[in-house]
Amino acid sequence: MFRSIRYKLFLYMIINVVLFAVLLYGANILFAQKYYTYYKKTVLIESSQKISDLLKGLDPSKEAITDDIQFQINRVERSIGGTAFVGTLAGQLYYPASRNNEPLRPDARGNPFYILNQDNAQTIQIVSPRDQRPVPAKKDVTSWERYTDKSFFVTLEDPALKIESIRFQTELDNGLVLLVWVPIAQISESVAVFNRLTSIITLVIIIITGIWAFFISRSFTRPITQMNFITKKMAEMDFSQTLNVAGKDEISQLSGNINDLSDKLDRAIGELNSKNQQLELDIGHERKLDKLRKVFISSVSHELKTPIFLIQGYAEGLKTNVVIDEEKRNFYCDVIIEEADKMDIL
């Protein structure tokens, strides 16, 4: 079945847009959650480094965290939308502190810190706020990942609020423990929202691209359609049509070449027709000459038969002595001589 170039070009452009949307949709489903988690971990590491720089050189046994440092830590928290804790594994908190800037005891705030089980590196434990002994972590801890020897990530979900968070805990050089955590949005819902948005945008893009592709394909294929029409006329020996040459691209060069080819073919076929006509005239003249030759030969043959017949007859008569007297013999000889003269003239 015939399919025009315009139709194919239009179809290819639409397929490209749909294929791009499908790839974007699939990539969002496969990689969005991994990238989102990676990005959050990067934010936690950078934030921890900023807070570590603020606490560098601080001796918690001799001095408290100043108001300026607490203000800077609070700015870091606000910038990432998260929460930071600074304290010891036993659960004593230096940030956030009480109103009089005194460390909070574990019983007042609970122990937010985690320790790794040294016997089994695949488990994680928390510190009991009462007797400071490590106990197994709650079931809300969904996963953890070691970053360095002194730091690791913990992912957990609040069973009551159903809010998942990722936490980065590291041990500082001055013996303090820093824990920074941020809530993780439900990435599956975000992916679903993004996919719905992608579907709407894709539909709009397909409509716009379809309209644009229609005009582009028509503009692009118009010279090719004209070439097809002109070459058909050339096949029918009609060289009166020419292509419009505009631009300097390959299609314009091809149009110019077709025009040159049409002009050369027109002149060559014209010359060939002229020579054919001359050849037909020559053939006609040759046929007339041949006919004349045949008439001439027929006439000459007829004219030669009579004297030859007479010469042959009178010669045989002389040979057989049909005539006896001298007068008739001379008459026979005169006839033979006369007919021979006629043949000589012919």
Side-chain angles (χ1 to χ4, degrees):
M1 182 169 51
F2 175 76
R3 297 287 176 86
S4 65
I5 296 179
R6 180 187 303 178
Y7 171 80
K8 291 181 179 179
L9 183 61
F10 175 82
L11 184 63
Y12 291 157
M13 294 180 71
I14 296 299
I15 290 176
N16 285 336
V17 175
V18 174
L19 181 61
F20 174 77
V22 171
L23 292 176
L24 183 62
Y25 186 88
N28 187 46
I29 293 177
L30 295 176
F31 304 110
Q33 186 168 0
K34 294 181 180 180
Y35 178 77
Y36 183 79
T37 303
Y38 169 79
Y39 172 75
K40 287 297 184 179
K41 289 180 178 180
T42 303
V43 170
L44 290 176
I45 293 172
E46 293 176 353
S47 302
S48 298
Q49 185 61 46
K50 292 178 182 179
I51 297 176
S52 297
D53 293 339
L54 294 173
L55 299 176
K56 187 178 296 184
L58 177 68
D59 187 356
S61 62
K62 297 180 181 180
E63 55 183 329
I65 299 178
T66 63
D67 293 339
D68 181 65
I69 294 177
Q70 292 197 42
F71 176 75
Q72 295 296 331
I73 296 176
N74 185 257
R75 286 186 60 183
V76 174
E77 288 179 320
R78 292 177 179 271
S79 65
I80 64 174
T83 304
F85 294 97
V86 179
T88 63
L89 287 178
Q92 188 176 20
L93 295 179
Y94 290 88
Y95 180 88
S98 62
R99 293 184 179 181
N100 56 3
N101 210 18
E102 292 293 330
L104 292 175
R105 303 301 302 172
D107 294 337
R109 189 66 180 265
N111 190 351
F113 301 111
Y114 298 84
I115 63 171
L116 295 179
N117 189 348
Q118 300 299 325
D119 298 331
N120 185 2
Q122 297 300 319
T123 61
I124 194 169
Q125 296 177 333
I126 61 174
V127 179
S128 173
R130 295 184 178 181
D131 52 11
Q132 286 79 46
R133 291 185 302 171
V135 298
K138 298 179 180 179
K139 293 182 179 181
D140 54 1
V141 177
T142 57
S143 64
W144 70 275
E145 177 187 355
R146 183 184 293 276
Y147 181 67
T148 64
D149 294 339
K150 295 183 179 181
S151 59
F152 53 89
F153 292 96
V154 178
T155 304
L156 56 87
E157 182 180 2
D158 190 317
L161 300 178
K162 302 298 182 182
I163 298 177
E164 191 175 10
S165 64
I166 183 169
R167 308 188 177 201
F168 180 71
Q169 179 175 305
T170 181
E171 184 178 350
L172 306 181
D173 295 335
N174 55 9
L176 293 176
V177 178
L178 171 63
L179 176 66
V180 184
W181 68 275
V182 291
I184 301 177
Q186 291 295 329
I187 189 64
S188 58
E189 295 181 3
S190 300
V191 170
V193 171
F194 182 79
N195 286 336
R196 286 195 295 270
L197 179 62
T198 301
S199 302
I200 297 174
I201 294 176
T202 301
L203 181 60
V204 174
I205 291 177
I206 288 176
I207 295 174
I208 296 175
T209 304
I211 298 173
W212 178 250
F214 174 78
F215 290 103
I216 289 296
S217 60
R218 185 175 65 175
S219 176
F220 181 78
T221 58
R222 184 184 296 115
I224 300 176
T225 304
Q226 292 178 352
M227 291 178 193
N228 186 36
F229 174 76
I230 295 297
T231 51
K232 285 183 178 179
K233 288 293 184 181
M234 292 171 61
E236 297 171 358
M237 298 302 172
D238 182 4
F239 303 99
S240 60
Q241 304 291 332
T242 57
L243 292 169
N244 296 324
V245 180
K248 297 182 179 180
D249 54 8
E250 291 82 357
I251 294 181
S252 300
Q253 293 177 358
L254 181 58
S255 300
N257 293 336
I258 291 177
N259 288 337
D260 293 339
L261 178 61
S262 177
D263 183 61
K264 291 179 180 179
L265 285 175
D266 189 19
R267 286 183 294 174
I269 292 176
E271 293 177 359
L272 183 60
N273 289 333
S274 177
K275 292 181 179 180
N276 285 338
Q277 292 176 358
Q278 182 64 37
L279 182 60
E280 289 178 357
L281 293 175
D282 294 340
I283 292 174
H285 181 66
E286 186 67 26
R287 287 175 179 175
K288 290 180 180 181
L289 290 177
D290 185 63
K291 184 177 181 180
L292 289 175
R293 282 192 294 268
K294 290 180 179 180
V295 172
F296 172 74
I297 292 172
S298 176
S299 299
V300 170
S301 299
H302 178 72
E303 293 295 329
L304 288 175
K305 286 180 180 180
T306 300
I308 290 174
F309 175 75
L310 291 175
I311 291 172
Q312 184 182 6
Y314 280 93
E316 290 178 354
L318 291 175
K319 183 178 180 180
T320 58
N321 295 318
V322 174
V323 294
I324 301 174
D325 57 353
E326 186 67 23
E327 183 180 358
K328 286 187 178 181
R329 185 180 291 111
N330 290 333
F331 174 76
Y332 276 40
C333 290
D334 289 338
V335 172
I336 292 173
I337 293 171
E338 183 181 355
E339 295 300 326
D341 289 339
K342 288 181 181 182
M343 294 177 61
D344 184 47
I345 292 172
L346 289 176

